């Protein structure tokens, strides 16, 4: 108060006659222009001149204070498309619902008023999960006004998915599902007019080919823009008009799936803003010369200089400015009032032309230019934003959430199929989700569809959100899962002709209850007789191995559909038995309480019962399991701990795997069918997470070796290239187990890093089950770096597969489960500049969603994964996968929290509410838990290149889309013990991708059906061919007989013929002198789509193609 009185006194005495001008210098900095000169002022601001020398103000407000915002493109001028937008994360620092009711609600609410004030104003909105929340809470009057704005084109939906999905972590199935959900909501509320025309992937931390060609071109999108790309690539392009190109991302579909693509020039947090911002308390446009801080002349000058600067980086006289940032426009008047002024005064100046626009209007002008554009196939992975800042850590971050999303997605698709076939309704299920996702359709699968969809967000399953937000995603999925489990149970009862209680053991219960991944399943453990129903979601019959925890190792009998099958029991290893107890939170427990809690969490099973089950296409088999008094010792596997020095060999009909008893490591891998053999060593280890420092083994200029960047949720940066042994250096111990169904070797590197190798009879792959955790934060087995202080180091754990193949640094990774992309150590694709290597580990990591492979001239090793993770090949003949991370520092990318997860999902001890705990977590305190422990599976295939390429896709299907299992007590006698609901199987190589009734009410009662070709062009001489399918022959069973089919673009929004008819034919060139064209033509693409025959419902599907239909069944 005293300071205020003094100031008033000074002014009253005349000590200050003019207020100091508020500087707008902050507007001048564009963070994307690293190394490029920034624009400079060309005028002396009117308010800065001496009063006597000023003359009239250069710009004065209109007499009626109504600014002229009319306008559009003007030929011969730089045309600045001002695109108002807000980037709204569906979860990041707080949860999706918190963001909605604290921020996004007000964005949409104030937009409604401000857009309606002026028909020239525009806005683009992206995240339909937020829009649906807002829409559901509005009266009819507001909904009607919003419909009017959409019809006028003032509000345009871009992307339109349920969220802005990550492009590194999701399988293509999840990407397609969440995008379809968003588009169907828009279709339901607004009709065809709201169908998005392009993608706006401004914040994901890298960009995949699959997103461009499948979620882009094949969904009817004409363009894709983003705010982040690799800094070396950006620096090469920014001064050569190279920031936009035609992305031909698919090797298989060629130029039929091109999309216009480009990097925003922008600023802001992620490169998706522009050089000014008018949200909240930001400096505003002041155009009244009778008031202080007149600055409109400065801003007009700045506007012109920035437009002229940006024009150097883009072809045509059109440029786009993304006017917004994270959660902007909560009071939309701030932005629109200032933008109105800028448009008015910039156009009065006349040097450049400015107007309200959208990305669609902008791209329409690019088409009209009739220019030739660079063509490119390379993806944008890994993304680096500086010498040592590689966004490749999130490929693995929060591995449990990544796994949960993928497993829930498979369960969702199986449930959709069961819903269609059984006819069970949500009313009959009568188990609604307590806090459901905003509804799109009436299905009992709808909420799970929404919760899985929102978790694909680029700060969701990417692993870059805060711990409580990750917990929220997991909780939403688990809660919605309960409703779907009830629906699946009711559907199976209807199909089997039974009336029993079915239970599930799919890891969605609290803690360790009922999770087959850690051998916990109450019904199989506690019962001596039970029934399993296995539902096959695939369009072809599938032979799958089932592993169930049971009590007792002898006397088990298994029959599948009434026929006895061979089974085997193996004792549960101590590592598996300890896993449930890791969920215990010891906070405030006495020793006695802790012991009781451990006992309650303990696994009561003693053995694993293993058998094979063959399940018909889109159908089920019934498995009866019982234990008799007769001791059938032949069922029990023979187990033996291996003495040091004793060699070990396990085999099945396809492979032989040998171990060196002296080293405790694998030694050779042999394919018994072809005779192919290779030295083969599997190892586990960890990189020391960097806390900033120097990367001495980089090949860059020594002056650029050092940097303060830390490893964290987003960024991977290892302290060195050395992989350390997981614990005190020792010889791994081995234990072998052999039986009639499976032979396996358990390998213990340390108490927190173990592996099990399995060879199942009749299966042409090697299974490696890895278990990692709790990763210790301390490292007491290594000398202290600082005397007297513990080595508290972050650890990034990898599994390595080393062969004797000469692979010349080349390896291949899948793109969201679709095409395989060629990679090369220390090199990028031909459209990139020569790579300056500054992080030889992190800079060579790529996302692996389903598979990574290496090959020499004759043979190939493919490693298939059951969840997304980062991978690389850093040495010849080697595959490396990062399976887990535990990091003790934040990487300064906004999450403000170390990636230090616990088994309880709670925050660390002594963390006060909204405060950081001892190990960095923000939370409510009261957590004393073990670090997160992960278990996953890899499938290995080794053979000739042609054989591996032919077999690996089917193996991927069975690993990623296994049978859905339901359990019932006792032995059932169903009326229908097995059934397939297809009259004939889909052709080999064709996937049944989607079958759902959830959108029938939006599409005149028609169901959504999708099929996908599993193989890419050139992948397999036998399978990489167009596949013809007659749906009349496939869907001819009673109750599932197809009677009508209409083909649509990917998301079922409008007809495929309309999409293809409006596609623009871009003229392209190769600026590399032929390197890109060589890449594009390495494989013969299938550029022309085969038409759908509407008379007999027959279609030919090209390699990698996805075809979508709205269908009616009898």
């Amino acid at each position: 108060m005293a300071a205020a009185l003094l100031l008033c006194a000074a002014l009253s005495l005349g000590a200050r006659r003019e207020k100091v001008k508020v500087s707008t210098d902050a507007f001048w900095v564009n963070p994307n222009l690293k190394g490029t000169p920034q624009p400079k002022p060309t005028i002396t601001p009117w308010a800065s001149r001496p009063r006597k020398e000023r003359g009239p103000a250069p710009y004065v407000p209109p007499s009626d204070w109504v600014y002229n915002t009319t306008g559009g493109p003007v030929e011969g001028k730089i045309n600045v498309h001002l695109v108002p937008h807000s980037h709204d994360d569906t979860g990041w620092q707080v949860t999706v619902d918190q963001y909605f009711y604290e921020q996004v609600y007000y964005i949409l609410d104030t937009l409604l008023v401000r857009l309606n004030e002026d028909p020239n104003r525009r806005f683009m909105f992206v995240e339909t999960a937020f829009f649906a929340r807002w829409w559901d809470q509005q009266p009819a009057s507001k909904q009607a006004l919003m419909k009017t704005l959409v019809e006028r084109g003032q509000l345009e939906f871009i992307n339109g998915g349920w969220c802005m999905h990550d492009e590194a972590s999701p399988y293509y199935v999840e990407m397609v599902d969440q995008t379809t959900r968003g588009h169907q909501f828009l279709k339901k509320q607004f009709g065809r007019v709201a169908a998005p025309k392009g993608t706006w992937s401004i914040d994901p931390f890298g960009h995949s080919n699959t997103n461009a060609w499948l979620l882009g071109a094949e969904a009817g999108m004409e363009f894709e823009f983003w705010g982040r790309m690799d800094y070396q690539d950006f620096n090469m392009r920014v001064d050569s008009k190279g920031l936009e190109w035609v992305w031909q991302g698919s090797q298989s579909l060629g130029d039929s799936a091109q999309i216009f693509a480009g990097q925003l020039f922008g600023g802001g947090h992620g490169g998706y803003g522009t050089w000014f911002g008018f949200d909240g308390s930001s400096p505003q446009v002041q155009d009244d010369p009778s008031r202080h801080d007149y600055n409109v002349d400065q801003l007009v000058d700045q506007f012109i200089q920035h437009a002229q600067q940006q024009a150097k980086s883009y072809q045509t006289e059109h440029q786009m400015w993304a006017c917004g940032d994270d959660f902007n426009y909560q009071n939309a008047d701030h932005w629109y009032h200032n933008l109105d002024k800028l448009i008015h005064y910039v156009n009065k100046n006349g040097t450049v032309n400015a107007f309200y626009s959208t990305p669609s209007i902008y791209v329409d002008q690019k088409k009209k230019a009739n220019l030739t554009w660079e063509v490119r196939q390379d993806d944008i992975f890994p993304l680096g934003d500086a010498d040592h800042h590689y966004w490749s850590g999130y490929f693995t971050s929060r591995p449990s959430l990544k796994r949960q999303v993928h497993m829930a997605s498979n369960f969702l698709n199986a449930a959709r199929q069961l819903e269609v076939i059984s006819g069970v309704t949500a009313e009959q299920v009568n188990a609604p989700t307590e806090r459901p996702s905003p509804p799109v359709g009436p299905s009992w699968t709808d909420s799970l569809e929404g919760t899985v969809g929102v978790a694909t967000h680029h700060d969701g399953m990417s692993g870059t959100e805060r711990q409580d937000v990750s917990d929220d995603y997991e909780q939403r999925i688990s809660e919605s899962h309960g409703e779907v489990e009830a629906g699946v149970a009711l559907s199976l009862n209807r199909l089997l002709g039974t009336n029993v209680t079915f239970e599930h053991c799919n890891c969605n219960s609290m803690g360790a209850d009922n999770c087959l991944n850690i051998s916990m399943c109450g019904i199989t453990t506690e019962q001596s007789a039970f029934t399993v129903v296995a539902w096959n979601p695939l369009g072809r019959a599938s032979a799958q191995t089932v592993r169930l925890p049971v009590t007792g190792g002898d006397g088990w009998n298994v029959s599948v559909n009434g026929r006895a099958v061979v089974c085997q029991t193996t004792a549960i290893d101590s590592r598996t038995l300890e896993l449930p107890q890791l969920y215990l939170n010891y906070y405030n427990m006495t020793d006695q309480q802790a012991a009781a809690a451990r006992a309650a969490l303990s696994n009561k099973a003693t053995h694993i019962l293993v058998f094979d089950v063959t399940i018909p296409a889109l159908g089920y088999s019934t498995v009866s399991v019982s234990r008799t008094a007769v001791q059938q010792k032949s069922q029990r596997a023979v187990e033996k701990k291996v003495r040091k020095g004793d060699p070990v060999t396990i085999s099945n009909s396809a492979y032989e795997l040998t171990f060196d008893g002296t080293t405790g490591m694998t030694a050779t891998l042999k394919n018994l069918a072809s005779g192919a053999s290779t030295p083969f060593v599997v190892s586990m280890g960890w990189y020391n997470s960097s806390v900033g420092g120097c990367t001495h083994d980089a090949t860059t200029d020594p002056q650029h070796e050092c940097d303060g960047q830390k490893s964290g949720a987003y960024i991977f940066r290892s302290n060195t290239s050395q992989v350390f042994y997981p614990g005190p250096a020792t010889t791994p111990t081995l234990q072998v187990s052999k039986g009639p169904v499976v032979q396996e070797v358990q390998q213990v590197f340390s108490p927190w890093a173990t592996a099990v190798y399995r060879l199942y009879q009749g299966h042409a792959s090697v299974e490696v089950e890895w278990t990692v955790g709790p990763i210790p934060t301390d490292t007491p087995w290594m000398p202290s770096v600082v005397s007297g202080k513990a080595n508290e180091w972050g650890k990034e754990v990898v599994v390595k597969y080393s062969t004797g193949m000469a692979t010349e640094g080349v390896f291949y990774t899948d793109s969201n489960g679709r095409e395989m992309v060629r990679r090369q150590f220390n090199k990028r694709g031909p459209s990139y500049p020569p790579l300056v290597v500054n992080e030889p580990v992190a800079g060579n990591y790529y996302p692996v969603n389903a598979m990574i492979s290496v090959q020499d001239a004759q043979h190939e090793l493919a490693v298939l994964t059951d969840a997304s993770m980062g991978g690389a090949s850093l040495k010849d003949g080697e595959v490396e996968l990062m399976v887990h991370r535990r990091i003790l520092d934040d990487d300064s990318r906004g999450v403000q929290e170390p990636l230090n997860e616990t088994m309880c999902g709670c925050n660390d001890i002594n963390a006060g509410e909204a405060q950081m705990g001892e190990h960095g977590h923000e939370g409510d305190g009261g957590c004393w838990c073990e670090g997160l422990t992960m278990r996953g599976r890899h499938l290995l295939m080794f053979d000739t290149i042609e054989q591996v390429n032919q077999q690996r896709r089917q193996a991927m299907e069975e690993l990623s889309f296994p049978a859905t299992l339901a359990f019932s007590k006792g032995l059932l006698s169903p009326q229908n013990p097995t059934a397939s609901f297809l009259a004939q199987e889909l052709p080999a190589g064709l996937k049944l991708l989607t079958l759902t009734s959830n959108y029938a009410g939006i599409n005149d009662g028609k169901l959504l059906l999708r099929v996908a070709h599993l193989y890419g062009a050139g992948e397999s001489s036998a399978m990489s061919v167009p596949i013809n399918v007659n749906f009349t022959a496939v869907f001819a069973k009673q109750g599932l007989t197809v009677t009508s089919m209409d083909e649509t673009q990917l998301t079922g929004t409008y007809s495929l013929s309309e999409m293809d008819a409006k596609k623009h034919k871009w003229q392209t060139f190769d600026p590399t002198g032929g390197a890109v064209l060589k890449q594009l033509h390495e494989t013969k693409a299938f550029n022309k789509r085969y038409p759908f025959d509407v008379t007999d419902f027959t279609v030919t599907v090209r390699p990698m193609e996805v075809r979508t239909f709205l269908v009616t069944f009898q």
Side-chain angles (χ1 to χ4, degrees):
M1 180 63 71
L5 291 173
L6 286 172
L7 177 59
C8 292
L11 289 174
S12 67
L13 293 171
R16 283 182 63 191
R17 296 185 181 272
E18 277 193 27
K19 186 178 177 183
V20 177
K21 180 181 69 68
V22 175
S23 172
T24 55
D25 290 346
F27 282 145
W28 283 101
V29 179
N30 187 330
N32 271 357
L33 298 180
K34 297 173 182 176
T36 300
Q38 300 281 347
K40 299 294 182 184
T42 63
I43 66 167
T44 300
W46 180 79
S48 298
R49 300 172 191 168
R51 184 181 294 275
K52 294 180 180 180
E53 299 176 11
R54 286 179 182 172
Y59 304 102
V60 295
S63 59
D64 59 1
W65 292 92
V66 176
Y67 297 96
N68 183 6
T69 59
T70 61
V74 174
E75 191 172 346
K77 285 188 177 182
I78 294 175
N79 286 276
V80 180
H81 294 247
L82 299 174
V83 178
H85 80 102
S86 175
H87 174 58
D88 305 327
D89 290 300
T90 51
W92 180 37
Q93 293 180 330
V94 297
T95 69
V96 58
D97 280 345
Q98 290 172 316
Y99 273 137
F100 170 67
Y101 64 71
E102 292 174 1
Q103 301 187 57
V104 180
Y105 182 94
Y106 302 101
I107 294 171
L108 288 162
D109 224 43
T110 61
L111 277 173
L112 193 68
V113 177
R114 297 310 169 199
L115 290 176
N116 194 48
E117 287 177 341
D118 183 351
N120 299 302
R121 290 174 176 170
R122 297 179 182 272
F123 193 84
M124 50 160 288
F125 198 83
V126 174
E127 298 87 359
T128 307
F130 278 136
F131 187 87
R133 281 168 165 79
W134 179 86
W135 181 266
D136 288 349
Q137 297 180 9
Q138 302 312 305
S141 58
K142 280 190 173 183
Q143 291 181 345
L145 179 54
M146 187 63 81
K147 286 184 177 181
T148 299
L149 295 173
V150 172
E151 289 166 359
R152 288 181 193 162
Q154 286 185 261
L155 179 68
E156 181 174 348
F157 294 99
I158 303 291
N159 253 31
W162 206 238
C163 68
M164 185 186 294
H165 58 232
D166 182 35
E167 297 181 39
S169 302
Y171 212 66
Y172 74 101
V173 178
E174 289 103 65
M175 298 163 77
V176 170
D177 276 352
Q178 80 87 19
T179 304
T180 300
R181 179 176 178 83
H183 288 194
Q184 288 294 314
F185 177 88
L186 298 177
K187 183 178 182 180
K188 176 181 179 180
Q189 306 301 344
F190 302 103
R192 172 68 179 85
V193 68
K197 298 176 183 177
T199 66
W200 185 255
S201 303
I202 54 172
D203 199 27
F205 327 120
H207 306 285
S208 74
N209 286 337
T210 299
N211 197 66
W213 70 262
L214 181 58
L215 280 301
E218 290 293 275
M221 307 294 191
E222 299 178 355
F223 55 83
E224 178 176 2
F225 292 107
W226 53 79
R228 305 178 191 274
M229 65 184 291
D230 184 77
Y231 77 106
Q232 294 185 36
D233 197 20
F234 180 89
N235 291 341
M236 176 188 74
R237 295 172 174 277
V238 68
D239 293 324
S240 61
K241 295 183 180 291
L243 290 178
E244 293 174 334
W245 57 84
V246 173
W247 197 351
Q248 186 172 314
S250 173
Q251 308 153 14
S252 304
L253 303 189
D255 61 15
S256 70
Q258 291 180 339
I259 190 170
F260 188 80
Q263 163 77 28
L264 297 175
F265 200 67
H269 293 104
Y272 46 78
T274 190
W275 57 274
F276 54 72
F278 298 118
D279 216 53
S281 60
S282 303
Q284 310 289 296
V285 180
Q286 211 292 74
D287 61 339
D288 186 349
S290 68
R291 302 294 176 195
H292 289 295
D293 306 323
Y294 179 90
N295 63 8
V296 65
D297 56 338
Q298 284 182 271
L299 292 176
V300 169
D301 180 51
Q302 291 174 346
F303 193 107
I304 294 167
Q305 302 311 312
H306 275 276
Q308 292 174 340
Q309 172 82 2
Q310 185 166 336
K312 300 174 185 178
S313 299
Y314 294 88
Q315 292 198 81
T316 82
E317 57 195 16
H318 292 269
Q319 56 186 251
M320 179 166 58
W321 292 12
C323 299
D325 208 317
D326 291 359
F327 300 99
N328 278 201
Y329 294 81
Q330 292 179 52
N331 181 348
D333 200 34
H334 281 281
W335 267 102
Y336 283 116
H337 186 56
N338 286 282
L339 288 175
D340 286 355
K341 290 181 180 181
L342 280 179
I343 292 170
H344 178 90
Y345 292 116
V346 166
N347 290 342
K348 284 186 73 69
N349 177 282
T351 305
V352 302
N353 180 49
F355 53 95
Y356 283 117
S357 187
T358 68
S360 301
I361 296 171
Y362 172 72
V363 173
D364 283 344
Q365 295 301 316
K366 296 290 180 173
K367 295 176 190 174
K368 291 178 182 178
N370 200 29
L371 295 178
T372 302
W373 300 87
E374 175 187 353
V375 64
R376 187 177 193 186
Q377 186 176 91
D378 294 326
D379 62 5
I380 302 178
F381 286 122
L383 184 152
D385 59 22
D387 284 350
H388 301 279
H389 306 190
Y390 280 94
W391 300 59
S392 52
Y394 80 101
F395 300 160
T396 299
S397 296
R398 300 202 186 278
S400 59
L401 179 59
K402 285 179 167 62
R403 179 181 176 84
Q404 184 183 20
V405 171
H406 190 43
M407 295 299 104
S409 173
N410 178 49
F411 187 65
L412 169 65
N413 279 299
R416 288 163 159 175
Q417 296 168 353
L418 283 162
E419 179 179 34
V420 168
I421 293 165
S422 70
V424 167
T425 66
E427 290 76 14
Q428 292 167 335
V429 174
N430 194 27
T433 302
E434 182 179 351
R435 285 165 291 194
S437 181
V440 176
S443 166
W444 43 269
T445 64
D446 183 78
S447 189
L448 181 59
E449 177 187 287
T451 55
V452 171
V454 80
T456 65
H457 168 56
H458 61 270
D459 279 310
M461 71 180 298
S462 60
T464 54
E465 69 278 20
R466 290 185 179 175
Q467 181 64 55
D468 56 339
V469 180
S470 178
D471 293 344
D472 183 69
Y473 288 128
E474 293 168 358
Q475 180 179 349
R476 289 173 187 275
I477 292 173
S478 295
E479 289 178 352
S480 298
H481 223 277
E483 179 179 4
V484 177
E485 288 174 2
V488 166
L490 188 55
S491 298
L492 290 176
N493 269 311
R494 183 169 294 184
L495 297 179
L496 272 72
T498 55
N499 184 20
V500 298
T501 299
F502 280 110
E503 299 181 19
H504 304 269
C505 296
N506 46 30
C507 305
N508 274 281
S509 301
M510 183 67 109
D513 289 346
N514 293 325
C515 182
L516 282 177
N517 192 47
I518 59 172
S519 302
M520 290 283 286
C521 186
I523 196 167
T524 66
T525 299
E526 297 165 4
Q527 303 296 313
S528 59
F530 56 88
T531 301
V532 186
V533 181
W535 175 266
N536 176 20
L538 307 179
R540 294 180 63 79
S542 177
Q544 299 192 21
T545 301
V546 176
R547 299 176 56 85
L548 303 176
V550 295
T551 303
D554 296 313
W556 290 100
N557 300 287
V558 177
S559 64
V560 177
N561 302 326
R563 300 185 62 180
V565 298
V566 176
C567 63
Q568 170 187 329
T569 58
T570 303
I572 301 178
D573 61 275
S574 58
R575 173 74 154 142
T576 299
L577 288 173
E578 75 178 10
L579 295 178
Q581 297 178 337
L582 297 177
Y583 285 90
L584 184 59
N585 185 348
Y586 289 92
Y587 182 70
N588 270 349
M589 277 191 178
T590 65
D591 290 345
Q592 185 177 3
Q593 290 170 328
R598 282 194 298 271
L601 284 174
S602 65
N603 190 343
K604 307 306 187 292
T606 60
H607 289 75
I608 300 295
L609 178 66
V610 190
F611 55 89
D612 276 351
V613 56
T614 299
I615 319 169
L618 193 65
Y620 64 87
S621 288
T622 304
V623 183
S624 299
V625 181
S626 61
R627 190 181 186 198
T628 66
V630 179
Q631 297 298 303
Q632 300 178 4
K633 294 185 179 179
S634 59
Q635 290 184 334
R636 191 189 289 234
V638 177
E639 301 174 30
K640 183 180 71 171
K641 188 171 183 179
V642 179
R643 292 180 303 179
K644 188 171 182 178
D646 290 350
V648 176
T649 300
I650 57 173
S651 64
N652 61 9
S653 57
Y655 287 99
E656 179 182 85
L657 181 63
T658 64
F659 293 77
D660 185 324
T662 301
T663 63
M665 306 290 281
T666 54
T668 60
L669 175 62
K670 183 176 182 179
N671 186 298
L672 297 177
S674 67
S677 180
T678 182
F680 186 65
V681 177
V682 182
S683 59
M684 299 178 79
W686 55 279
Y687 291 105
N688 186 356
S689 304
S690 177
V691 293
C694 302
T695 306
H696 296 299
D697 44 4
T699 59
T700 187
D701 187 327
Q703 293 184 0
H704 296 277
E705 286 182 344
C706 302
D707 191 284
Q709 179 61 58
K710 300 177 181 180
S711 202
Y714 300 88
I715 305 296
F716 170 36
R717 189 183 183 200
S718 58
N719 203 37
T720 69
S721 296
Q722 183 176 353
V723 176
F724 296 96
Y725 190 86
T730 187
T731 300
T733 62
L734 303 175
Q735 181 163 316
V736 64
S737 169
K738 295 184 178 182
V741 180
V742 59
Q743 298 185 7
E744 66 180 44
V745 172
Q746 299 169 17
Q747 183 182 43
V748 177
F749 292 92
S750 72
W752 56 272
T754 59
V756 182
Y757 306 83
R758 297 190 178 104
L759 289 172
Y760 293 100
Q761 296 302 325
H763 292 261
S765 61
V766 179
E767 178 182 291
V768 180
E769 180 186 81
W770 52 267
T771 307
V772 172
I775 302 173
T777 56
D778 192 7
T779 320
W781 59 88
M782 299 181 73
S784 293
V785 173
V786 178
S787 180
K789 288 192 67 175
N791 292 329
E792 293 282 344
W793 295 341
K795 298 174 178 65
E796 324 218 15
V797 182
V798 298
V799 177
K800 286 190 178 188
Y801 300 95
S802 302
T803 73
M805 292 190 290
T807 56
E808 299 180 346
V810 175
F811 60 108
Y812 299 83
T813 62
D814 72 287
S815 176
N816 307 110
R818 292 273 76 195
E819 289 177 315
M820 299 296 290
V821 181
R822 185 182 189 273
R823 313 294 191 185
Q824 188 162 2
F825 179 68
N826 278 349
K827 192 174 182 180
R828 299 288 187 257
S831 64
Y832 279 86
L835 179 67
V836 177
V837 180
N838 37 58
E839 286 293 328
V841 180
N844 282 291
Y845 255 70
Y846 293 87
V848 177
N849 308 108
M851 177 165 55
I852 181 171
S853 68
V854 289
Q855 62 188 48
D856 59 17
Q858 293 182 300
H859 299 108
E860 175 181 346
L861 173 72
V863 182
L864 283 56
T865 66
D866 63 351
S868 295
M869 56 192 64
S873 178
L874 305 181
K875 295 180 180 178
D876 233 26
E878 185 176 274
V879 166
E880 173 176 313
L881 288 161
M882 184 179 291
V883 296
H884 199 358
R885 317 175 73 212
R886 190 177 191 186
I887 304 172
L888 306 182
D889 287 274
D890 178 54
D891 55 11
S892 303
R893 288 302 186 277
V895 75
Q896 300 175 351
E897 187 176 279
L899 186 70
N900 184 12
E901 297 182 273
T902 68
M903 285 294 285
C904 308
C906 62
N907 301 317
D908 274 320
I909 188 70
N910 294 334
E913 187 170 355
Q915 300 296 318
M916 296 295 179
E918 288 183 353
H919 301 298
H921 278 315
E922 182 180 352
D924 55 8
C927 181
W928 192 281
C929 295
E930 297 285 0
L932 179 69
T933 299
M934 286 300 304
R935 169 169 284 182
R937 290 190 299 154
H938 296 158
L939 293 187
L940 316 181
M941 308 184 80
F942 174 70
D943 204 341
T944 63
I945 296 170
E946 174 62 26
Q947 282 297 319
V948 172
N949 285 2
Q950 183 173 333
Q951 296 171 7
R952 65 190 186 183
R953 291 288 179 175
Q954 188 58 43
M956 279 172 57
E957 285 293 285
E958 294 182 356
L959 180 63
S960 292
F961 305 97
T964 290
L965 304 181
F967 304 91
S968 177
K969 296 177 182 179
L971 301 180
L972 300 183
S973 299
Q975 298 175 25
N976 310 302
T978 184
S980 171
F981 297 93
L982 299 182
Q984 66 180 43
E985 292 187 345
L986 286 177
L990 196 64
K991 175 181 177 60
L992 177 60
L993 181 58
T994 310
L995 177 62
T996 180
S997 58
N998 195 35
Y999 313 127
I1002 306 169
N1003 296 292
D1004 301 320
K1006 296 175 181 178
L1007 280 61
L1008 190 101
L1009 170 70
R1010 280 196 198 91
V1011 293
H1013 201 304
L1014 290 175
Y1015 291 83
E1019 185 173 0
S1020 164
S1021 60
M1023 304 303 295
S1024 297
V1025 295
I1027 297 174
N1028 183 270
V1029 58
N1030 184 317
F1031 290 110
T1032 304
V1034 173
F1035 293 102
K1037 286 283 187 79
Q1038 184 177 359
L1040 205 63
T1041 301
V1042 63
T1043 57
S1044 75
M1045 295 187 74
D1046 300 306
E1047 187 163 20
T1048 70
Q1049 44 68 266
L1050 181 71
T1051 62
T1053 310
Y1054 54 92
S1055 72
L1056 182 68
S1057 58
E1058 179 187 347
M1059 184 193 85
D1060 284 343
K1062 70 182 180 67
K1063 275 192 174 181
H1064 183 73
K1065 179 63 177 177
W1066 297 97
Q1067 302 301 313
T1068 61
F1069 74 102
D1070 175 10
T1072 66
V1076 168
L1077 287 177
K1078 180 181 178 183
Q1079 178 192 39
L1080 292 173
H1081 297 144
E1082 274 180 343
T1083 300
K1084 184 180 183 302
F1086 294 82
N1087 294 296
K1088 187 175 181 180
R1089 195 188 310 279
Y1090 294 93
F1092 172 59
D1093 189 332
V1094 296
T1095 60
D1096 65 355
F1097 305 151
T1098 300
V1099 69
T1100 299
V1101 186
R1102 297 175 289 171
M1104 272 296 120
E1105 190 175 28
V1106 177
R1107 302 293 283 261
T1108 305
F1109 305 88
L1110 295 174
V1111 306
T1112 303
F1113 292 113
Q1114 188 178 31

